[in-house]
């Protein structure tokens, strides 16, 4: 059953063991951000985890990882990849430096995986926060839904682990 949506930072602060994130889209609304526009113009993506660009996210990740939470992110991507995925791949250097483990799975290798219909965060294998996007990558309403339904958590955990086990570590993945 869907419940009211807790604040993401509070969910992460309450996590004891693991936070995993599965990303399924080839573009997000962030494509309109200054960072992406600069990347398209110059090829530059902010990879310094201590830069202001990363301050909010970096603080959350460092705090969680510092108390022993394993943070893993898997991305299923179409190949050839979009410019946005190239940008995201370049940025991921900072995610890894902050303590996240990140892997990439070409979409053609995910055809036989039962996947939820939306990107999600799964906290301690029991709480799921779904992210909802429109076709153009902008946030859709409602932006988020939250559930602690054991069947939904199991679906998400199984999907994530299957993707994770097939995917390529960030350091080895080369966007095609």
């Amino acid at each position: 059953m869907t419940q009211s949506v807790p604040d993401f930072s509070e969910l992460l602060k309450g996590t004891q063991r693991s936070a995993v994130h599965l990303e399924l889209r080839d573009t997000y609304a962030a494509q309109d951000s200054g960072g992406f526009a600069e990347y398209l113009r110059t090829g530059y993506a902010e990879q310094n985890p201590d830069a202001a660009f990363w301050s909010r996210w970096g603080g959350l990740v460092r705090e969680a990882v510092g108390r022993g939470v394993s943070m893993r992110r898997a991305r299923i991507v179409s190949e050839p990849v979009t410019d946005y995925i190239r940008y995201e791949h370049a940025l991921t250097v900072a995610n890894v430096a902050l303590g996240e483990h990140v892997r990439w799975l070409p979409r053609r290798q995910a055809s036989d995986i039962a996947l939820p219909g939306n990107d999600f965060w799964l906290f301690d294998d029991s709480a799921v926060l779904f992210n909802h996007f429109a076709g153009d990558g902008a946030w859709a309403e409602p932006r988020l839904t939250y559930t602690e339904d054991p069947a939904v958590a199991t679906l998400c955990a199984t999907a994530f682990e299957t993707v994770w086990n097939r995917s390529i570590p960030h350091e080895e993945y080369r966007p095609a």
Side-chain angles (χ1 to χ4, degrees):
M1 170 184 276
T2 300
Q3 302 175 2
S4 64
V5 179
D7 178 72
F8 177 85
S9 62
E10 292 305 314
L11 282 169
L12 190 56
K13 287 176 184 174
T15 300
Q16 298 176 11
R17 297 176 313 282
S18 68
V20 301
H21 185 37
L22 183 61
E23 297 179 28
L24 303 167
R25 300 186 52 84
D26 290 317
T27 189
Y28 291 89
Q31 67 184 349
D32 297 329
S33 75
F36 182 59
E38 180 179 1
Y39 175 78
L40 289 176
R41 275 192 325 277
T42 67
Y44 176 79
E46 183 56 76
Q47 297 177 338
N48 178 357
D50 296 319
F53 177 87
W54 289 99
S55 63
R56 183 177 179 280
W57 184 247
L60 290 171
V61 173
R62 285 180 170 139
E63 190 279 328
V65 170
R67 58 186 167 77
V69 173
S70 170
M71 290 190 69
R72 295 182 294 157
R73 179 186 304 257
R75 295 179 172 132
I76 298 176
V77 296
S78 299
E79 292 180 327
V81 300
T82 62
D83 287 339
Y84 185 80
I85 293 299
R86 287 187 195 290
Y87 169 64
E88 206 170 49
H89 186 268
L91 286 176
T92 299
V93 169
N95 292 88
V96 171
L98 289 166
E100 285 187 67
H101 301 279
V102 181
R103 291 188 179 184
W104 303 81
L105 182 65
R107 192 170 309 280
R108 68 182 176 279
Q109 295 176 22
S111 296
D112 63 342
I113 302 172
L115 297 167
N118 296 289
D119 291 14
F120 65 84
W121 279 93
L122 175 64
F123 304 92
D124 288 335
D125 293 321
S126 62
V128 182
L129 184 66
F130 286 106
N131 302 298
H132 302 287
F133 298 97
D136 65 359
W139 284 104
E141 292 300 329
R143 288 182 173 207
L144 306 166
T145 55
Y146 175 78
T147 185
E148 294 177 2
D149 181 322
V152 174
T154 297
L155 169 68
C156 292
T158 301
F160 183 87
E161 291 306 324
T162 302
V163 169
W164 188 259
N165 290 330
R166 289 186 188 181
S167 57
I168 303 163
H170 174 72
E171 297 78 12
E172 298 171 24
Y173 180 70
R174 301 294 171 257

